[in-house]
Amino acid sequence: MIAKRHIVLYLMPAVIFTLLFFVFPLIFAGYISLQQWNGINEMVYAGLDNFKLVFQDPVFIKAVINTLLWVAGAVLLHIPFGLLLALLLARQPRGWKVFRVLFVLPNVISTTAIAFLWYFVLHVNLGLVNNILKLMGLGALARPWLADLKTALFAHQLPFIIYAGLTMVVFLTRISAIPAELNEAAKIEGATNWQKDWYITIPLVKDAVLINIILNLAFCLRMFEYPLLMTGGGPANETVNLGLYMFKEMIIANRYGVSMAAGLMTIAVGAVVTGTTLALSCIMDRRNGI
Amino acid sequence: MVIKRSRVLLLALLTVLLAGCSANLQKEPNSKQADEPIEIKMLSSWSTDTERGRALHLLVNKYNEARAGKVKISIDINPDWPNYQEKVKTMIAAKQPPDLFNYNFNPNDLSRQNSGQLLDFSPYMDEQWRSRFKPEDIEALTFNGELTSIPYEKAGVLFYYNKKLFAEAGIQTFPQTWDEFFAACAKLKKKGIIPISLMTADDSWHSTNALTYLAAAADGMDVFKAGVSLDTPGMVAAAEKLKQLFSYSTDDAIGANYSISSNHFALGNTAMIIDGPWLIGSLDDELQKNIGISAGPLVHQGHAQKGFIVTDTYTPWSAGKQASKEKEQAIVDFMKYMTSDDGVRLMTLEGRILLSAELSLSEEELKKAGPVLSQFIDVSGSAPESIIQISRVLKPAAISKLPSLIEGMMFEQYDPAGMVRRMNEANQ
Amino acid sequence: MRWIKELFLYLVSFIMLAPFVWLIIASFKTNRELFAEPFGLPENWMFDNYIAVMTRHPVTTYFLNSVIVSVVSTLLALLLATLASYIFTYTFRWRSYWQLLLVGGILVPTNAFMVPYYFIVKWIGFYDSLFGIALVYAGISLPLSVLIIKNYMNTIPPELSEAAFIDGAGVHRTFTRIILPLSCPGVVTASIFLMVTAWNELMYANLLTQSEGTRTLQVAIRFFLTTFQANYPQAFAAMILAIVPSIVIYALLSEKIIGGLTAGAVK
């Protein structure tokens, strides 16, 4: 046990911040979501109209789906890619330190700059991708990647998937903590590198997977820069996500109530997704008897 | 010792907080002393990378010199126009309106006027100042007897065409009707010339310009009037033609932003573009010699007069209500200077910006303005009637949907009639 | 086999970095060159774009603003998080509920709070000030920092603080002398995550500032693209000027940064 004053002293600052930046905003957002309000003039109580409007808006449904697809992109592509890079670098090939530095570099530069840069990389005439395809004689595959209904969604996630440096470092951290004896034992048994990775390394970095999932979930749920700067949500709302939907409703359409109704739904989606992840990880832990 | 530690921690926290507070306090206007100049903070989106931005700086510097020691105007630049517009709204919402700002007037969105936060200029509008403006402009911006916005810019959005490319395709004059227009497009395309620059990203500006011209040619100048349904046969026909127009545009038109679209024209890749006078600064001298400017084509049995034009909306200046009478007067004085003959001349000739205040230019000055601007002034000046661009007059919710609706139509998610119906629904 | 792996690594580096090389080359071109031949080398390598940007835009101010915002927000969040995490190493009533309150925010996509944050910052009088943004970032990052630091502190053997207690050290002394130094790696890890997040954030930096004096790098980069609407090479030059300092700092500290992440072992 510890004296109450100590608890108050140490805990209060963080609690005050949490109240200010999480609890109060939640209440405030809930209040605004029930109003019809353009941000300047008087609020008019609107009951659940904003929620009705949001649920009947096909663009909002699209935004929810796309947000979930961002999460899927993180879990199915970004994190495995980061893991692959980590496994390759963990074997310490020639120049691995340089690669490690280079792979993390884009993460510290600027998401804004990267998003804009990739707008150009994927541009139909000026873009690197189409011009390389043409050089290789695959000009038929060239297309306006970000303006094509079929490719826009994947194309605007591409920079996020590729720049997996931070995710990689989290894995590397965990891999470097694996006792060397384990690997040596496996070597004596005659295991190949891939077998070692599959049977020893990957099971041991499971907690790093969970950390990466949580970090990237948080990132994907509040994803905003890539859709805004690369596609603006287009073509025909194909790439709108919840962050952009809220932003557009607030900033362009001036419907603060609708924006916050969507905001509350975003929080609900976030809670469901993260809750599911944590529950799954608990179940798996228990099954493995950890 | 224990107590001391906790105090140190508390102190550290307090210092951090206080440091922030004091930084903020410094920003509060100090109580004015008689010899301190009145400071007026003017918001603008015109950065000094643009001609108009440099002209505005010149104008403000001139004014500051003339009033040295009494008034000091400083310009705060936010080059992202939509972002700037929202900033102003949120500042008004927080009851801290900026000293001076300009905005896109929208009769469907009077939130700024109704906020009660804006300075009413009408007591200062004496005969002399009033004579600087067209009466209908003043009237359009007056609400409940209050004039909270000073008319300033109302630029025409006109057809630019590349005469050299037109000549290559054997076209002598700019088409007078939309049928001729599409015939000309076909001719250009046959010669391997892309007829027109269009775009759909952001506000879909060049495409909505075309849509406005098409709609107004069919249904006349009141087609977007508040309270009137947009779901008319004329609008549907306009949407159909817009869709057709995209087949005469670049292959990157869908998804292109303003820069991509305007660069196509500036580099001679496309033969036409519909844009305001601000584009002129991006065209090099060689190209400028070959540019023609025209008003909109007509349609058979349409309700528009020959020579009608589309304009950007009013972009007037407004000011926040001031506690100090002196500052209020200083703001009014500066606005008078900005709209004076001198001020307008400077902004028109140096900044290539077409203002709604009266200005008569001499032959020589017109020549100095360059071949494109003088044509621009000419075509705008002789237009019998005009209509404001569609994405400036609809309800904000409809404006935010318009670009994606155009894209949806282009991707065959719905036909032009479906697009018009959805647009009308969003405008309710 | 080995060469496939190496080839793969080189390929990945190429995909990651080629766009940046293109950006650098493009920033020396004229607008016409860029659009006519996007991949050609510029006819003559001209610095006009850079000069134009340097003379008209306070790029250094933007950079310093970003530094101030990231550093202040990180320090603030770390201060709050270490204090709270420390007290969680003790048992007290409703401890797990308090933990849930502080960490639960990690589930919340904070851009849902666009409107509330705007008004909170407004009400406490920090609109358009660097401290306002830093405050919001600190608030947003608090759950993650508590999570990382708390988990790290949990790995410190409780015997250490018990020993300190027996030696007569109080709550505060145990914190400053034992726990804080030992949890340094965890704190460093958290700080890197916070710095990277704060450095890259665009939405709130954009929403909460107005004037040039408080513009962060990310907002500035976005504005460059609108300012130079019809002149991308200049926008590119501005972007390069804006990101070069971060690359230099990263190059100098890369070992420390990556080492920090490694040592702190996100657990």
Side-chain angles (χ1 to χ4, degrees):
Chain A
M1 265 319 229
I2 176 173
K4 210 166 220 161
R5 62 189 171 91
H6 287 142
I7 299 176
V8 171
L9 185 66
Y10 280 85
L11 203 54
M12 266 318 123
V15 169
I16 290 171
F17 255 65
T18 308
L19 291 178
L20 189 61
F21 285 104
F22 289 95
V23 178
F24 171 73
L26 192 65
I27 298 165
F28 191 56
Y31 175 71
I32 292 177
S33 71
L34 300 177
Q35 314 286 332
Q36 194 186 353
W37 188 35
N38 66 4
I40 296 187
N41 305 139
E42 292 294 302
M43 290 187 200
V44 180
Y45 180 74
L48 293 174
D49 283 4
N50 291 328
F51 288 92
K52 254 184 241 156
L53 191 148
V54 157
F55 282 120
Q56 285 167 359
D57 186 354
V59 181
F60 175 76
I61 307 297
K62 186 114 221 168
V64 173
I65 295 171
N66 284 343
T67 303
L68 294 176
L69 287 175
W70 269 100
V71 172
V75 174
L76 300 178
L77 297 168
H78 174 92
I79 295 176
F81 184 61
L83 179 61
L84 176 68
L85 292 180
L87 290 176
L88 286 175
L89 290 194
R91 284 180 208 152
Q92 313 203 334
R94 209 157 10 122
W96 69 281
K97 280 198 165 167
V98 179
F99 282 122
R100 196 177 63 168
V101 171
L102 285 183
F103 291 169
V104 182
L105 176 70
N107 294 71
V108 298
I109 291 181
S110 151
T111 320
T112 314
I114 287 176
F116 183 70
L117 202 45
W118 278 76
Y119 171 81
F120 267 89
V121 171
L122 296 166
H123 186 264
V124 58
N125 301 320
L126 306 170
L128 207 54
V129 173
N130 280 351
N131 282 282
I132 288 177
L133 284 175
K134 274 175 203 154
L135 265 183
M136 296 184 351
L138 296 170
L141 289 178
R143 51 171 75 233
W145 299 97
L146 289 170
D148 189 312
L149 281 180
K150 289 193 203 77
T151 55
L153 194 68
F154 179 71
H156 92 303
Q157 290 189 357
L158 204 58
F160 164 69
I161 291 165
I162 287 177
Y163 294 122
L166 275 186
T167 306
M168 175 195 77
V169 171
V170 172
F171 280 126
L172 270 181
T173 305
R174 204 57 200 92
I175 293 174
S176 66
I178 294 173
E181 301 88 57
L182 273 178
N183 277 316
E184 269 157 33
K187 214 173 182 179
I188 293 164
E189 302 274 324
T192 65
N193 273 334
W194 290 115
Q195 282 172 329
K196 270 196 294 186
D197 284 343
W198 187 254
Y199 293 107
I200 299 174
T201 317
I202 293 183
L204 284 174
V205 295
K206 234 184 332 178
D207 49 348
V209 174
L210 185 64
I211 291 156
N212 268 325
I213 287 181
I214 291 184
L215 288 176
N216 283 299
L217 273 187
F219 186 73
C220 286
L221 286 171
R222 52 161 204 261
M223 173 47 62
F224 171 70
E225 286 91 346
Y226 289 126
L228 175 78
L229 300 171
M230 290 179 74
T231 61
N237 291 320
E238 188 62 24
T239 58
V240 163
N241 75 345
L242 283 168
L244 194 61
Y245 184 87
M246 281 185 279
F247 180 79
K248 279 191 168 173
E249 283 299 329
M250 175 181 170
I251 301 290
I252 304 175
N254 292 145
R255 299 195 290 195
Y256 284 60
V258 176
S259 174
M260 281 302 98
L264 290 184
M265 296 327 296
T266 310
I267 292 172
V269 169
V272 169
V273 170
T274 328
T276 317
T277 317
L278 291 178
L280 277 179
S281 80
C282 279
I283 292 168
M284 271 153 83
D285 274 1
R286 233 172 260 156
R287 197 171 286 165
N288 295 326
I290 295 172
Chain B
M1 192 62 193
V2 168
I3 294 164
K4 252 189 197 159
R5 286 259 173 233
S6 65
R7 278 202 189 140
V8 169
L9 280 169
L10 262 179
L11 260 178
L13 226 122
L14 276 176
T15 340
V16 173
L17 285 171
L18 278 177
C21 291
S22 58
N24 189 55
L25 282 178
Q26 280 163 8
K27 281 179 31 185
E28 301 286 322
N30 346 341
S31 52
K32 254 177 212 88
Q33 279 149 19
D35 49 344
E36 290 233 349
I38 300 172
E39 287 200 24
I40 298 173
K41 210 170 175 188
M42 175 181 198
L43 302 191
S44 159
S45 68
W46 305 337
S47 83
T48 45
D49 299 296
T50 60
E51 287 173 323
R52 49 180 58 196
R54 289 193 283 273
L56 182 67
H57 269 85
L58 209 65
L59 182 115
V60 166
N61 287 343
K62 264 188 168 178
Y63 183 82
N64 281 343
E65 263 167 43
R67 301 284 189 286
K70 290 189 191 109
V71 180
K72 188 170 181 310
I73 306 211
S74 57
I75 310 176
D76 204 334
I77 296 163
N78 181 342
D80 187 336
W81 179 256
N83 182 284
Y84 165 37
Q85 291 303 294
E86 183 52 34
K87 280 291 150 56
V88 168
K89 281 193 175 184
T90 34
M91 285 170 90
I92 294 174
K95 308 216 185 303
Q96 291 174 346
D99 290 345
L100 263 176
F101 64 93
N102 58 348
Y103 70 95
N104 277 148
F105 173 73
N106 180 348
N108 260 319
D109 175 14
L110 298 174
S111 52
R112 305 175 196 80
Q113 283 82 353
N114 294 335
S115 68
Q117 303 280 317
L118 300 189
L119 180 64
D120 179 15
F121 285 99
S122 52
Y124 297 97
M125 226 348 125
D126 49 33
E127 276 316 302
Q128 197 197 347
W129 197 16
R130 192 180 291 273
S131 69
R132 298 287 311 142
F133 307 99
K134 299 190 185 86
E136 70 262 27
D137 290 351
I138 296 275
E139 197 189 325
L141 295 172
T142 303
F143 291 91
N144 307 327
E146 283 195 348
L147 179 70
T148 48
S149 308
I150 298 296
Y152 196 65
E153 187 185 7
K154 193 188 176 197
V157 176
L158 307 176
F159 284 83
Y160 289 68
Y161 61 101
N162 189 324
K163 288 180 184 160
K164 214 165 128 195
L165 296 179
F166 265 49
E168 274 176 41
I171 307 161
Q172 304 307 326
T173 54
F174 192 81
Q176 295 300 303
T177 67
W178 276 101
D179 289 340
E180 284 174 41
F181 187 92
F182 279 107
C185 286
K187 270 189 194 168
L188 285 162
K189 202 176 176 183
K190 219 172 177 181
K191 280 277 168 196
I193 301 162
I194 301 167
I196 188 165
S197 277
L198 293 175
M199 59 180 270
T200 62
D202 305 326
D203 55 359
S204 201
W205 179 249
H206 294 136
S207 310
T208 45
N209 287 342
L211 183 63
T212 312
Y213 267 111
L214 284 161
D219 283 359
M221 302 302 121
D222 289 337
V223 53
F224 305 137
K225 205 164 199 164
V228 175
S229 169
L230 291 170
D231 198 353
T232 63
M235 270 310 287
V236 174
E240 269 162 13
K241 289 208 175 90
L242 178 65
K243 193 174 172 187
Q244 193 187 346
L245 204 55
F246 268 95
S247 66
Y248 289 117
S249 189
T250 52
D251 53 0
D252 61 357
I254 292 174
N257 57 21
Y258 178 89
S259 324
I260 304 259
S261 175
S262 54
N263 264 307
H264 276 311
F265 182 76
L267 297 172
N269 296 343
T270 54
M272 284 180 278
I273 195 167
I274 313 173
D275 207 352
W278 48 82
L279 180 68
I280 300 171
S282 316
L283 309 175
D284 59 34
D285 295 343
E286 199 46 44
L287 186 64
Q288 288 208 14
K289 286 183 202 146
N290 292 315
I291 298 289
I293 297 290
S294 173
L298 303 173
V299 292
H300 182 59
Q301 289 188 326
H303 292 88
Q305 294 177 41
K306 186 174 154 48
F308 85 95
I309 60 166
V310 171
T311 68
D312 198 347
T313 181
Y314 289 101
T315 312
W317 286 92
S318 287
K321 266 199 180 129
Q322 298 298 333
S324 127
K325 201 79 193 159
E326 281 169 2
K327 191 165 173 183
E328 188 176 310
Q329 274 158 357
I331 288 173
V332 171
D333 187 56
F334 176 67
M335 281 320 298
K336 282 188 176 169
Y337 177 72
M338 258 189 104
T339 51
S340 70
D341 196 67
D342 272 357
V344 172
R345 194 173 301 269
L346 191 143
M347 287 307 286
T348 308
L349 294 178
E350 304 286 331
R352 300 202 216 217
I353 162 171
L354 291 189
L355 303 181
S356 37
E358 301 289 346
L359 176 69
S360 51
L361 293 171
S362 65
E363 278 291 304
E364 200 180 327
E365 278 172 324
L366 265 179
K367 221 168 156 189
K368 207 181 110 199
V372 185
L373 187 66
S374 52
Q375 283 187 73
F376 221 99
I377 295 173
D378 194 37
V379 173
S380 317
S382 52
E385 56 183 359
S386 67
I387 176 169
I388 293 176
Q389 215 268 7
I390 182 167
S391 47
R392 301 291 198 224
V393 289
L394 301 186
K395 293 236 163 74
I399 293 171
S400 83
K401 285 219 164 72
L402 194 50
S404 58
L405 285 176
I406 293 176
E407 284 177 341
M409 174 176 81
M410 294 314 297
F411 284 117
E412 312 274 340
Q413 289 176 346
Y414 29 76
D415 59 0
M419 180 251 175
V420 170
R421 200 187 66 237
R422 286 175 169 81
M423 183 168 76
N424 187 47
E425 274 165 13
N427 199 38
Q428 295 309 313
Chain C
M1 256 329 256
R2 164 162 283 174
W3 67 270
I4 294 185
K5 268 176 254 161
E6 285 196 6
L7 187 72
F8 179 74
L9 288 176
Y10 281 107
L11 191 71
V12 171
S13 322
F14 173 78
I15 294 173
M16 281 187 177
L17 302 174
F20 291 97
V21 176
W22 179 82
L23 178 74
I24 294 169
I25 296 173
S27 71
F28 288 98
K29 291 180 175 176
T30 62
N31 202 37
R32 186 171 279 277
E33 280 174 331
L34 174 71
F35 280 85
E37 239 190 294
F39 297 96
L41 292 176
E43 210 163 289
N44 40 9
W45 294 71
M46 48 158 219
F47 282 87
D48 297 16
N49 293 333
Y50 285 88
I51 294 166
V53 172
M54 293 288 263
T55 48
R56 287 179 197 155
H57 297 275
V59 181
T60 0
T61 313
Y62 300 151
F63 182 78
L64 286 178
N65 287 346
S66 270
V67 171
I68 292 172
V69 168
S70 346
V71 170
V72 172
S73 69
T74 304
L75 287 181
L76 197 57
L78 288 180
L79 176 70
L80 302 179
T82 38
L83 291 180
S85 304
Y86 168 63
I87 214 69
F88 285 138
T89 60
Y90 293 87
T91 42
F92 52 91
R93 205 139 70 108
W94 293 331
R95 183 179 68 161
S96 49
Y97 293 103
W98 287 113
Q99 279 185 14
L100 192 67
L101 176 72
L102 293 195
V103 179
I106 208 166
L107 302 176
V108 179
T110 36
N111 52 10
F113 293 150
M114 244 180 272
V115 179
Y117 282 0
Y118 180 81
F119 284 93
I120 290 173
V121 170
K122 209 68 167 178
W123 285 331
I124 53 180
F126 287 129
Y127 177 71
D128 199 19
S129 80
L130 293 175
F131 191 71
I133 316 172
L135 213 57
V136 168
Y137 287 176
I140 292 175
S141 314
L142 190 61
L144 181 68
S145 4
V146 173
L147 187 73
I148 294 177
I149 296 171
K150 185 178 76 75
N151 280 348
Y152 195 85
M153 283 185 182
N154 285 348
T155 65
I156 298 170
E159 293 83 27
L160 284 175
S161 20
E162 276 160 27
F165 182 72
I166 290 163
D167 285 349
V171 172
H172 305 302
R173 210 176 155 78
T174 315
F175 176 59
T176 51
R177 290 292 157 86
I178 314 277
I179 302 292
L180 198 55
L182 281 175
S183 37
C184 229
V187 174
V188 170
T189 308
S191 70
I192 292 168
F193 274 103
L194 298 197
M195 289 283 257
V196 171
T197 316
W199 184 261
N200 280 318
E201 213 280 340
L202 172 68
M203 198 176 76
Y204 283 112
N206 182 27
L207 194 70
L208 302 175
T209 62
Q210 154 57 36
S211 57
E212 234 164 33
T214 54
R215 199 165 292 163
T216 67
L217 212 48
Q218 309 303 329
V219 183
I221 289 178
R222 171 148 156 66
F223 282 177
F224 288 147
L225 303 170
T226 0
T227 317
F228 302 108
Q229 289 230 15
N231 194 348
Y232 273 149
Q234 258 184 43
F236 293 164
M239 273 163 76
I240 289 185
L241 286 175
I243 61 181
V244 156
S246 28
I247 295 182
V248 170
I249 292 176
Y250 173 72
L252 292 176
L253 298 178
S254 67
E255 281 305 307
K256 286 243 164 64
I257 293 175
I258 293 175
L261 285 172
T262 318
V266 195
K267 285 190 175 128

